[in-house]
Amino acid sequence: MAKRIAVNIAERINWLWRLLMTGFCFILFGLGGLLLSLSWFNLLLFFQRNEDKSCRLARHSIAFSFRLFLFLTRKLGVLDYHFSGLKKLRADKGCLIVANHPSLLDYVILASTLPDVDCIVKSALLHNPFVRGVIRSARYLINNDAETLLPVCRERLASGYNILIFPEGTRTTPGHPISLQRGAANIAVRCECDLRIIHITCSQRMLDKNSKWYQIPPKKPIYTITIGEQLTHENFAVDTENGHAIAARQLNRQLTHLLTPSNK
């Protein structure tokens, strides 16, 4: 009995510690993004006039900041994470990287290890003072205009850049099957690029669509990022009979199946 009470007390202390450190890390993350936007990225624009070099420095700065943030969360016991098959991902060139989206930290974890990746983001984030400077300095792609987005994606993919996209458009609703928008499939079909599948799972519910930051799980969550198969563009090449729209619908169904965690 005494042993069980001691274990319960220890678990409660651990939970309180993780709650406090989660709040601390969120404050640090927000302030870090704001400071990068107000200081470092402005200095880059001033001292580095070449837009491509400035963008590359900004992205590497973002990746470094994310690695530092994740190192802190790991050391403070807030969460842990590990990759499986990362070498495959780092070897990809001119590839559309598609991932499921169970948590708020998915982009942070992926971008921390992919400093040169492009990312398609929601236009609403441009109104967020903590991240809009990051988005602009890194020249991320905005999803509000499909007519201009597609040519830019084609250009960047042809130049060898990888583009990260979460086809769900928002975090997965817990307990519901994933539902993909057709943007990723349209880009892949029309740009004739390869696709890399990534599965993200978390051992505990944390920072999902229905969770607040302070609703932390009873145990430390562990994120697992599994680098899945690559689909070459020959797998979904358009034939003259069906056309782009049908090919995109077919690919979207395939991606829904591949991105469902139980099917990895």
Side-chain angles (χ1 to χ4, degrees):
M1 184 67 179
K3 185 177 180 180
R4 175 176 288 185
I5 293 174
V7 169
N8 289 338
I9 292 174
E11 289 177 348
R12 185 63 179 175
I13 291 173
N14 177 264
W15 183 88
L16 288 170
W17 168 259
R18 286 188 292 109
L19 176 62
L20 291 172
M21 292 304 101
T22 299
F24 170 73
C25 288
F26 261 82
I27 293 171
L28 191 66
F29 186 87
L31 290 177
L34 192 60
L35 288 173
L36 281 174
S37 300
L38 294 177
S39 58
W40 174 240
F41 292 148
N42 285 325
L43 288 174
L44 281 180
L45 292 174
F46 182 78
F47 288 105
Q48 181 52 261
R49 299 294 184 178
N50 184 289
E51 288 188 0
D52 290 335
K53 290 182 179 180
S54 176
C55 175
R56 190 169 186 272
L57 284 170
R59 290 183 182 179
H60 278 255
S61 301
I62 292 166
F64 175 78
S65 299
F66 286 168
R67 286 196 299 273
L68 188 62
F69 171 77
L70 291 170
F71 171 81
L72 186 63
T73 59
R74 177 181 272 171
K75 287 298 181 181
L76 292 175
V78 172
L79 57 87
D80 203 351
Y81 66 97
H82 59 83
F83 286 87
S84 174
L86 189 56
K87 287 184 179 180
K88 294 186 294 184
L89 184 60
R90 287 177 171 168
D92 288 336
K93 299 294 181 185
C95 190
L96 187 66
I97 301 169
V98 295
N100 63 316
H101 198 6
S103 164
L104 189 64
L105 293 179
D106 301 334
Y107 159 69
V108 174
I109 295 173
L110 289 175
S112 70
T113 193
L114 296 171
D116 290 316
V117 75
D118 268 309
C119 189
I120 298 177
V121 300
K122 295 186 292 185
S123 58
L125 290 176
L126 290 174
H127 302 293
N128 187 322
F130 296 101
V131 298
R132 65 187 176 198
V134 173
I135 293 170
R136 287 171 176 161
S137 297
R139 290 167 59 190
Y140 285 153
L141 304 167
I142 310 300
N143 70 352
N144 61 340
D145 190 349
E147 293 299 320
T148 59
L149 179 63
L150 192 61
V152 176
C153 287
R154 184 179 290 112
E155 178 185 349
R156 295 195 186 181
L157 289 165
S159 300
Y161 289 103
N162 296 324
I163 297 178
L164 171 64
I165 184 171
F166 298 99
E168 294 172 84
T170 186
R171 283 168 285 169
T172 310
T173 301
H176 290 72
I178 67 172
S179 176
L180 306 188
Q181 298 178 11
R182 210 173 295 165
N186 272 317
I187 292 171
V189 167
R190 296 175 188 275
C191 296
E192 299 182 344
C193 64
D194 296 339
L195 281 168
R196 174 67 71 182
I197 307 298
I198 294 183
H199 296 97
I200 303 172
T201 59
C202 188
S203 62
Q204 305 280 320
R205 280 187 58 179
M206 181 180 183
L207 302 177
D208 59 33
K209 191 172 180 64
N210 295 333
S211 297
K212 305 296 184 182
W213 72 265
Y214 51 82
Q215 293 174 320
I216 65 170
K219 295 181 180 180
K220 180 174 69 174
I222 301 174
Y223 287 82
T224 301
I225 303 92
T226 304
I227 313 305
E229 62 183 286
Q230 186 185 74
L231 302 179
T232 63
H233 67 272
E234 288 86 359
N235 294 122
F236 44 86
V238 178
D239 58 56
T240 53
E241 182 179 348
N242 290 330
H244 290 100
I246 293 178
R249 282 199 294 270
Q250 292 172 341
L251 177 58
N252 204 51
R253 286 195 293 268
Q254 185 179 5
L255 290 177
T256 300
H257 175 76
L258 290 172
L259 288 174
T260 300
S262 60
N263 294 326
K264 70 184 178 72

